[in-house]
Amino acid sequence: MSEELGRVRQMWHLLEPLHAVLYYAPEVFEEAAALGYRTDERWPSYFAWRAAPLGAVGAERVADTFYSFSPQMVREHVPAAWSVASPGAVLAARARAVDRAYRALLGEQAAGPEIAEAAALARRVAEAADATGRPLAEANAALPWPDEPHSALWHAATVLREHRGDGHIAALAEAGLDPVESLVSFAGIGAARPEVFASRGWSGKEWDAARERLAGRGLLEEDGTATEAGRALRAEVERRTDERAAAPWRALGEGERERLVELLGPLWVAALGSGLLPSETTLGIGKV
């Protein structure tokens, strides 16, 4: 991995937990409940929060842009989400939820100069991101920037993580990995246990069929672990993902990037140390 791509991946690792607070903080579930969403599990609000920038889209559009979820699971939540609250109402509640969650997570630090500095740097990167052909990044980038620095930081993190995610989907498609195969192959390199990937709604039959297809391509062993070819393919997917995510980061000079790393470090610690986020996710952070 080149030095530049290593920095790109480092920034993703630092920013992703800051975005993911949206899906786990109690303040977020309170806002979801106020809209009328079930909160006994996170998925009803997850699909609403993440898809709302796209508008009142249907299940096929969400399945395509989210990619790794079973279409059947998506259909359980979309378009039903828009009968609970309109995308505009969801976005307004999302802004309140992020504001409240960050204030609870960071305390007085949320209004501090370090957050304002980090937000300004991250915003420059997000505004440099070309979202052409990247639907989730484009939809989030089109939203107004929040006034409060801590909310602006979350917005920048969200634009950049969706920009990276859209590019990751393109890399998976180039590698010939369909949605369920992308998860099976990722589990094969030990990114997370198969039980973690079950959260994406694929049936055991669908998972096993994908495993057989990948084994037939010489990418998996019989026990589901990746072959040398399978590991090489996943490494290529991650390299291409990093390459597609690199351009916006050139908006900052080397010293500015180092300063942003310094500023984000304590926030990353706060997010992970809060206990809100799961210790093992489908993203494979720290293992790819």
Side-chain angles (χ1 to χ4, degrees), residues 6-29:
R7 289 196 300 266
V8 169
R9 192 172 299 185
Q10 178 190 32
M11 299 310 302
W12 169 51
H13 286 197
L14 285 170
L15 286 172
E16 179 61 30
L18 303 185
H19 164 81
V21 167
L22 173 68
Y23 307 124
Y24 297 98
E27 296 81 8
V28 175
F29 285 105

Side-chain angles (χ1 to χ4, degrees), residues 83-119:
S83 66
V84 177
S86 69
V90 171
L91 288 172
R94 188 174 86 163
R96 293 192 300 270
V98 169
D99 174 55
R100 293 179 58 203
Y102 265 46
R103 289 182 187 276
L105 178 67
L106 302 176
E108 293 182 358
Q109 186 182 7
E114 292 84 5
I115 295 292
E117 185 181 359

